[in-house]
Amino acid sequence: MKIAVVGTGYVGLVTGTCFAETGNQVTCVDIDVRKVERLQKGEIPIYEPGLDVLFDRNVAEGRLLFTTNLAEGIKDAQVIFLALPTPPGEDGSADLKYILKVADDLGPILDQYAVIIDKSTVPVGTAEKVRAAIAKNAKVEFDVVSNPEFLREGVAVEDFMKPDRVVVGTTSEKAKKVMEKLYAPLVRQGNPVIFMDERSAEMTKYAANSFLAMKITFMNEIANLCEKVGANVDDIRRGIGTDSRIGKRFLFAGIGYGGSCFPKDVQALAKTSKDYDYDFRILKSVMDVNYDQKKKLLPMVESYFAGDLKGKTIAVWGLAFKPYTDDIREAPALENIEALLEAGAKVVAYDPEAMTNVKGILGDKITFTHTPYAALDDADALMIFTEWPQFRTPEFEKMGKLLKNKVVFDGRNLYELDQMREMGYTYYSIGREKVVPA
């Protein structure tokens, strides 16, 4: 099948590459000339495990192409994906200007029937707006379908190639047959392709992400209460996660969620609710709690240093909002670093993938190191913001010799309390008792 993907951001590039891997001829289109030139040279602008292998193979075999020319990119395409940014406005609404601009451009250049697919996360009613924008100048038949993505950064390739489910919003039988053919190679194990109307598909994506954000936030609230009553949130997580009605995932307490999806999607669903005069009270609480949770460690740090951080050197492990990505959008680390700098502290940071992106924002305000241990050298304390695997089993004796004080503020609960106690560390975590050396 001939496929065009408009937009080569995270979703667009994964979508295009993975569909090329299943034997389709894919052309990705982007207006960013420098990005397209890099892609044509074989350079991937994002970090996503496993994507490079598929990318290289399909470029080499001629199934994956890149262009800045929309008309050239969609020529003979049976399917056209719109994988464009929908940045949040000040009121939380998703900005559709990029999608609607491309829709306007598509109308006059469509020369055969095509299925236009909204792959971006978009508010309810977007498919109708896209259809109207294309129809203004279209001379051929077309369908607009909602097909939200459910990719987790860090495992996006696996999620795409082996989806739990595929959600397709369309009322067109013709488009339905195209979508069934398109996704057939990816659902051979029986995972469902769920068809529904366009509005329901658009709402499904927001409902899924908002529910997961709520689940994380609930556990953070439980963790905060645990600290007051003397309970252990990890034990509670195991106790409730084995209940099949609840499930084990998204129950880890920490310093809040970040990234490109959860914050934006919760805000957008809240804005939709407001537009339809519905008071979605749970979402308001989720946003409020997460805002506070991101800086949960700061009062602990301030208390340990008796309210004076001037001249202190704080080592930071983890800058990305989650492991296996270089994405720093809404990452808790950034807000904490800004607060530390305002308090007069010096910050020395390490992250396996995200340091270049953070340097682009903070410049020389903080120091970056090439190893996690180099960040600890002569530091007054360590703060952990991202649960990269390499941080889980460090050399604690080596850490203790490098740090001025054997104190760790852990926003991801990486270590066992007894272990830290035996090693003689002062250890702060989320929803568990503070460890103080005897």
Side-chain angles (χ1 to χ4, degrees), residues 131-143:
R131 185 180 295 111
I134 297 172
K136 283 187 299 185
N137 297 299
K139 301 178 181 63
V140 296
E141 183 187 358
F142 67 93
D143 280 308

Side-chain angles (χ1 to χ4, degrees), residues 29-221:
V29 184
D30 202 294
I31 61 171
D32 187 332
V33 176
R34 288 187 61 189
K35 182 190 283 189
V36 169
E37 288 176 348
R38 288 182 62 190
L39 289 164
Q40 289 171 337
K41 293 176 182 176
E43 299 176 17
I44 303 177
I46 60 171
Y47 173 74
E48 179 61 38
L51 183 62
D52 55 343
V53 175
L54 303 190
F55 179 93
D56 291 343
R57 176 161 57 232
N58 286 282
V59 167
E61 294 180 5
R63 287 193 300 270
L64 184 60
L65 305 172
F66 301 91
T67 182
T68 57
N69 188 310
L70 181 63
E72 175 186 310
I74 70 162
K75 184 174 175 54
D76 300 325
Q78 298 155 276
V79 171
I80 302 171
F81 282 96
L82 305 184
L84 295 150
T86 54
E90 292 185 9
D91 61 356
S93 61
D95 189 343
L96 299 178
K97 65 183 178 184
Y98 300 109
I99 289 176
L100 295 180
K101 172 63 167 65
V102 171
D104 280 333
D105 293 341
L106 280 175
I109 61 175
L110 286 176
D111 59 7
Q112 65 175 26
Y113 172 78
V115 178
I116 318 298
I117 302 173
D118 285 335
K119 198 66 177 170
S120 308
T121 301
V122 293
V124 173
T126 299
E128 296 160 21
K129 294 178 180 178
V130 170
R131 185 180 295 111
I134 297 172
K136 283 187 299 185
N137 297 299
K139 301 178 181 63
V140 296
E141 183 187 358
F142 67 93
D143 280 308
V144 175
V145 167
S146 176
N147 175 217
E149 53 84 16
F150 298 97
L151 305 179
R152 296 169 295 162
E153 292 189 46
V155 287
V157 171
E158 182 179 354
D159 283 348
F160 199 100
M161 301 300 287
K162 299 176 182 178
D164 289 335
R165 81 291 199 196
V166 176
V167 172
V168 178
T170 183
T171 53
S172 164
E173 285 299 319
K174 190 172 183 179
K176 182 178 178 180
K177 289 178 182 178
V178 172
M179 298 302 288
E180 286 174 336
K181 180 181 177 182
L182 179 66
Y183 277 104
L186 305 180
V187 294
R188 294 180 65 194
Q189 295 179 332
N191 292 337
V193 178
I194 304 170
F195 288 95
M196 58 187 73
D197 65 87
E198 296 90 336
R199 284 183 166 240
S200 296
E202 290 163 345
M203 179 64 86
T204 296
K205 175 59 187 286
Y206 283 118
N209 278 355
S210 295
F211 183 84
L212 295 175
M214 180 184 69
K215 199 172 179 182
I216 293 168
T217 302
F218 179 82
M219 284 308 295
N220 285 335
E221 288 274 67

Side-chain angles (χ1 to χ4, degrees), residues 286-332:
V286 167
M287 290 185 286
D288 288 345
V289 171
N290 195 64
Y291 177 83
D292 293 336
Q293 196 74 17
K294 284 186 174 183
K295 294 185 179 180
K296 172 77 176 175
L297 293 178
L298 286 174
M300 302 178 190
V301 176
E302 291 168 354
S303 175
Y304 179 83
F305 289 108
D308 186 9
L309 287 171
K310 289 182 180 177
K312 303 297 182 186
T313 298
I314 306 298
V316 165
W317 280 4
L319 298 169
F321 86 94
K322 63 180 284 188
Y324 302 109
T325 182
D326 60 355
D327 195 341
I328 58 171
R329 286 174 286 186
E330 301 282 347

Side-chain angles (χ1 to χ4, degrees), residues 28 31 59 62 86 95 151 157-158 170 185 208 260 296 305 334 364 370 383 387 397 406 417 421:
C28 295
I31 61 171
V59 167
T86 54
D95 189 343
L151 305 179
V157 171
E158 182 179 354
T170 183
S260 62
K296 172 77 176 175
F305 289 108
L334 298 183
D364 297 327
H370 294 293
M383 297 182 75
E387 61 274 32
E397 291 186 7
K406 291 176 69 173
L417 302 181
R421 191 174 287 110

